[in-house]
Structure formats: structure tokens, C-alpha cells
């Protein structure tokens, strides 16, 4: 019997009614793709938790971004250069557009470098951008690490990130040396011969290391093909992995921030990663890229055509490495030419000692965070940075290292300094030899005294306020200067730092008269703690009682 009923489509009734879906209609292709990716990778939850991550805003944090963006420019320009460079030591006769070298015998590597510079459209610009980006990359890493060192940003939980940055700096220096040597011009060949002599100075195994690195007797015919994959594949691959790990740890840990109101070990004051920080970072990348492009366009660097091809019997006038290798060359240039014969071997101490000192100095920088953590015994997490003046010994050590580097850089260019300043090269060499031992301790002492002086000024500002320059005469006839009280934010910034007592061994005899056993490591730790964090290394900051007492005295006086 037909009662007039009509069949009902239950498919629409099975779906929940969503007003938003009804208004928007079917999801778009991009939304479906995002849903597909989220269902398999879980990117939505990750993005939701990380894209709103807060990053503090300070100009010094851009130093790390300069390193990152310079590294990206290096990869982009390096990939382009590999399309035209031929890493071959086969001898050819040059017949190109650079007339002064026509008919000269050279390696194919040097010829291809000339072709990139003169034959390939835009080749010289890309070459120079690549070289400038390498210099800025290493410079940015060093300055960035110094910022981290002086502010104590290497403390827990960022010790591993410090090691990543330190390894990146070492690899950047080695990568620069390998890339500097690939064109096989007379300047780069001189630098490679310098490295060859340093490797040979290693006792007993020096010749084996040299044959392994150069594939036989120097210069040989295979060293360019050996350096090429190391420069374009091995070292950049390791560095790219370290950069990614470094950025992951930056995201994982809260970003460090300078002391100020509202900033503590749990709270970060700044801008969200999306969209504010991301927009600023993108603009800054193009700014760095633009500056590097301008430098590559207007400032000539490494003009290989002016040096000519490498010949073992020639040395360029004023041969100098890139600045980041001046430290090692300065060590060797100012070292006396000492040699000793032992067990049938000649030990070239004048080369080996400086060659060994360079990695030792760099190693000391790498392990410093762990040494300081051991001395202090502090196992807390630190997300608020130190003001360098509040850590005088650490700041003094950093300035002493920089002073040593500058002194040795002068030693590495003693011939250039002598010719430009019309001085005796022997006088400059002896100046550097003496300054190596005198200048760093003097820089440490002066820096520490300056930090203590700044601490005293901060203490005076907290107690008396800021000087206004206004003179007032009291009823008694006394003239005083009016001081403007600091704001609460300024007071917090000047007094937020901690001044924990240094580690002490304690009494050597316990309450029962039994003498305790003290390990040598404990004695060393106690001595280092007194030197780094003892009473003579800081000015006691103002306590709340002192501040209230001074405030009451000021009110009674005025």
C-alpha cells in the first residue's frame, strides 16, 4: 500500500552540521593537502606549539642570524660555482680573454677559475660574493661566540650548543682553507705549502700524514681532486647538520634574554616567531644577501689573475692568508727556529710548537663552559644573561684572548706592517714575541679593573640615583647636586644578578678532631673559585636594607 512516503537520503544526516563548513563549502586543495600531511606527520600540533614561540628582541641576537644567512649564501653560490669549476691538476696552456696570461702553462683548475672570472656571465660577481660570504660567516661566528661567552649564554642547558658552535667555527676555518686552495693560484699554493710544512713538523708521523693528505710528494697531482670533495661535500654536509642541530636546540630551549623587568628564568619577553619574528628574519636575510652582493660587486677580493698559477719555486709578494688563519701564521712567524735531533729524528720545534698551540688554545675555548660549571658547582638552568661587568674574570679572559689574537695577527703580517709603516721587520717580530706574554695579562688586568669600576658606578647609581647636573644650596649653606631616583625597572636591571659565595673546602678537621682527606681536584677547584668569584672579583651589590637606609637618609637630608 502506497502511503505517499518518499525515500529519505540519510547520508547528509550522518554528517554533523557545521555552520563554518556550510558557509565555506568544500575544503580547498591546499586545506586537503594540509590535512593529508597532518594525518601522517602531525605537523599541525608541532606548528601550533612552536610557531607562537616567543623570541626576545635585541640587536646582538642578529649576529647569529648573520652567520646563518651567510652560510645559506655560501651554499647557493657554491652550488653555482661547482657547475663551472674543474678540480683537475692536469697542465694546460691558457688561451683566454685575459691577455697577460696567454700562453702560460697552468693547471685546469686555475684555468677554469679564470674562465669563471672572465668568460662566464656574472661569474666574477658570484666568486666574490662566495669569498666575502665566507669571510663574513667566520667573522659572524667568532663575534657571535664572543657575545655568548661574555654574557654567559653557554651555561646549562646550552653547553652542547656551545660545542656545536665551536665545532662550526673550527670547520669553517678548515673549509675556508680548502676552498682558498682550490684555484691553484700562486697565493693559495703558498698557503697550502705553509700547511704542508706544518704537517711535516709533527714528530714521527708527519711524513705519513703529509702523504695521506696530498696523495704523495707535495705538491703532487692529486691534491686538488682530494680537496674538492672535502670542500664541497664533506665539510659543508657536516656543517649543515650542525647548523640544523643548533637551531633545533635553540627552539627546544627557551631563548636567552638580557636582564630587565618581567624577565626571569621562567618568563621570556619578546615577539612571537610567527608572524613577527619570521617577517623580520626574512627581511634581514635579503638585507644580508644584498650587502654581500654589494661587497662582491664593488670590493675586489682574491684576484687570482694578478698572482698567476702556482709554482713551487715562487712566492707572491705580501702573501697573507685570510684573517681567520692569521693567528696560526703569526705563531709560526714569531717563533724562533729551534730544532733538536732525538732518536734519529729532527724535531722542528719552531714549527711544531706553534702548530700544536693553535688547537690547544681553541680547545681551551671549547671546554671553558664545563670548567666554569665545575668551579661553581651550579647545576641550575640559566636563561637570563649576565652583564659582562658582573663577571669581571670571565670578561677579562675573553679580552685577553682577543688581545692575543690581535698580537699574533700582527705577527702573521709582520712583512706588510713593516713595509707600510717603514719599520724594521725584526723590530716588529721582537715586539710581537714580547707582547705575546705581556699584552694578554695586561688586557686582563685592565678589563677586570674596568668591570669593577662599572660595578661601583652601578652601586652608586642604585644608592644615590642618576646625576642631574642641578646644584642646590641647603639652608646650612652647603651645596649638593640633585640626584634623580632610578625607576623600578632600572633598579631591577642593576641589582638582579646573583653574587653567590665561591666554593670552599671547609675546615680540614671535623668536630671529632679527625682530619678530612682533601683531593687535589678539590684544592684546584677552591683556588679557581676564589680567583674567579672571590670577594676581590666583584663589588657587593646594594641590599634592600642599604637601599632603604639611604632612601631614609636622603629624605631627612633634603
Amino acid at each position: 500500500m502506497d502511503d505517499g512516503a518518499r525515500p529519505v537520503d540519510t547520508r547528509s544526516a550522518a554528517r554533523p552540521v557545521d555552520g563554518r563548513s556550510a558557509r565555506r563549502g568544500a575544503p580547498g586543495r591546499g586545506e586537503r593537502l594540509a590535512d593529508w600531511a597532518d594525518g601522517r606527520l602531525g605537523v599541525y600540533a608541532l606548528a601550533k606549539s612552536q610557531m607562537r614561540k616567543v623570541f626576545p628582541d635585541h640587536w646582538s641576537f642578529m649576529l647569529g642570524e648573520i652567520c646563518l644567512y651567510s652560510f645559506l649564501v655560501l651554499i647557493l653560490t657554491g652550488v653555482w660555482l661547482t657547475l663551472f669549476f674543474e678540480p683537475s691538476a692536469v697542465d694546460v696552456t691558457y688561451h683566454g680573454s685575459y691577455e697577460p696570461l696567454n700562453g702560460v702553462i697552468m693547471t685546469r683548475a686555475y684555468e677554469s677559475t679564470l674562465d669563471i672570472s672572465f668568460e662566464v656571465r656574472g661569474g666574477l660577481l658570484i666568486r666574490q660574493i662566495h669569498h666575502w660570504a665566507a669571510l663574513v660567516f667566520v667573522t659572524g661566528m667568532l663575534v657571535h661566540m664572543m657575545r655568548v661567552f661574555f654574557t654567559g649564554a653557554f651555561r646549562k642547558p646550552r653547553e652542547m650548543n656551545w660545542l656545536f658552535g665551536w665545532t662550526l667555527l673550527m670547520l669553517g676555518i678548515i673549509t675556508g682553507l680548502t676552498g682558498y686552495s682550490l684555484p691553484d693560484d700562486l697565493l693559495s699554493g703558498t698557503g697550502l705549502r705553509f700547511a704542508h710544512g706544518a704537517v711535516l713538523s709533527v714528530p714521527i708521523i708527519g711524513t705519513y700524514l703529509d702523504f695521506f693528505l696530498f696523495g704523495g710528494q707535495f705538491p703532487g697531482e692529486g691534491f686538488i681532486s682530494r680537496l674538492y670533495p672535502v670542500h664541497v661535500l664533506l665539510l659543508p654536509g657536516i656543517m649543515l647538520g650542525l647548523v640544523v642541530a643548533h637551531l633545533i636546540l635553540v627552539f627546544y630551549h627557551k631563548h636567552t634574554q638580557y636582564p630587565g623587568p618581567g624577565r626571569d628564568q621562567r618568563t621570556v619577553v619578546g615577539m612571537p616567531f610567527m608572524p613577527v619574528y619570521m617577517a623580520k628574519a626574512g627581511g634581514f636575510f635579503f638585507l644580508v644577501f644584498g650587502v654581500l652582493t654589494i661587497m662582491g660587486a664593488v670590493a675586489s677580493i682574491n684576484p687570482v689573475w694578478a698572482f698567476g698559477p702556482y709554482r713551487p719555486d715562487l712566492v707572491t709578494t705580501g702573501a697573507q692568508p685570510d684573517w681567520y688563519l692569521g693567528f696560526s701564521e703569526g705563531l709560526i712567524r714569531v717563533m724562533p727556529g729551534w730544532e733538536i735531533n732525538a732518536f734519529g729524528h729532527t724535531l722542528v720545534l719552531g714549527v711544531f710548537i706553534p702548530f700544536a698551540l693553535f688547537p690547544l688554545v681553541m680547545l681551551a675555548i671549547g671546554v671553558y663552559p664545563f670548567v666554569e660549571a665545575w668551579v661553581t658547582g651550579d647545576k641550575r638552568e640559566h636563561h637570563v644573561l649576565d652583564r659582562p661587568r658582573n663577571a669581571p674574570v670571565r670578561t677579562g679572559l675573553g679580552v685577553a684572548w682577543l688581545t692575543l689574537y690581535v698580537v699574533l695577527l700582527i705577527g702573521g703580517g709582520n712583512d706588510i706592517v713593516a713595509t707600510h709603516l717603514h719599520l724594521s721587520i725584526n723590530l716588529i717580530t721582537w715586539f710581537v714575541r714580547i707582547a705575546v706574554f705581556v699584552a694578554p695579562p695586561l688586557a686582563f688586568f685592565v678589563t677586570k679593573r674596568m668591570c669593577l669600576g662599572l660595578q661601583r658606578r652601578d652601586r652608586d647609581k642604585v644608592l644615590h640615583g642618576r646625576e642631574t647636573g642641578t646644584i642646590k644650596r641647603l639652608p646650612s649653606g652647603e651645596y649638593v647636586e640633585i640626584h634623580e631616583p632610578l625607576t623600578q625597572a632600572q633598579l631591577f636591571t642593576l641589582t638582579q644578578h646573583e653574587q653567590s659565595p665561591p666554593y670552599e673546602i671547609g675546615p680540614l678537621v671535623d668536630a671529632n678532631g679527625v682530619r678530612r682527606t682533601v683531593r687535589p681536584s678539590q684544592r684546584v677547584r677552591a683556588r679557581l673559585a676564589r680567583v674567579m668569584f672571590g670577594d676581590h672579583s666583584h663589588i657587593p651589590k646594594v641590599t634592600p636594607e642599604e637601599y632603604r637606609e639611604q632612601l631614609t637618609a636622603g629624605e631627612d637630608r633634603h
Side-chain angles (χ1 to χ4, degrees), residues 32-56:
R32 292 199 302 271
L33 178 62
D35 290 339
W36 181 90
D38 180 59
R40 290 153 180 80
L41 303 176
V43 294
Y44 176 75
L46 179 64
K48 185 178 180 181
S49 62
Q50 298 299 326
M51 291 299 101
R52 300 297 294 176
K53 192 176 184 67
V54 174
F55 281 81

Side-chain angles (χ1 to χ4, degrees), residues 76-224:
L76 295 175
T77 55
V79 169
W80 190 91
L81 290 172
T82 57
L83 302 177
F84 303 95
F85 180 75
E86 295 187 27
S88 173
V90 175
D91 288 335
V92 296
T93 302
Y94 180 71
H95 297 287
S97 58
Y98 187 67
E99 293 291 338
L101 291 178
N102 270 336
V104 175
I105 298 176
M106 60 185 64
T107 60
R108 179 57 190 143
Y110 184 65
E111 184 186 38
S112 65
T113 305
L114 294 178
D115 291 341
I116 292 174
S117 303
F118 298 114
E119 308 292 344
V120 179
R121 187 182 297 272
L124 180 59
L125 176 64
I126 300 299
R127 268 196 63 237
Q128 298 206 144
I129 292 176
H130 188 75
H131 202 130
W132 277 118
L135 294 181
V136 172
F137 176 56
V138 180
T139 304
M141 282 195 294
L142 179 62
V143 179
H144 176 61
M145 288 190 68
M146 287 297 98
R147 196 276 302 174
V148 172
F149 179 84
F150 286 126
T151 59
F154 53 76
R155 293 172 295 178
K156 184 182 177 180
R158 296 175 180 85
E159 301 95 335
M160 291 302 299
N161 237 3
W162 171 265
L163 287 181
F164 286 163
W166 178 84
T167 307
L168 279 169
L169 179 61
M170 294 293 293
L171 292 178
I173 293 174
I174 299 173
T175 307
L177 175 62
T178 56
Y180 183 81
S181 305
L182 283 178
D184 198 34
D185 61 288
L186 188 55
L187 181 60
S188 67
T190 303
L192 202 60
R193 185 166 59 185
F194 173 85
H196 158 70
V199 173
L200 282 179
S201 69
V202 178
I204 302 176
I205 63 172
T207 53
Y208 298 97
L209 288 176
D210 185 71
F211 269 62
F212 172 75
L213 293 175
F214 294 101
Q217 190 71 33
F218 180 84
E221 297 182 354
F223 73 95
I224 296 179

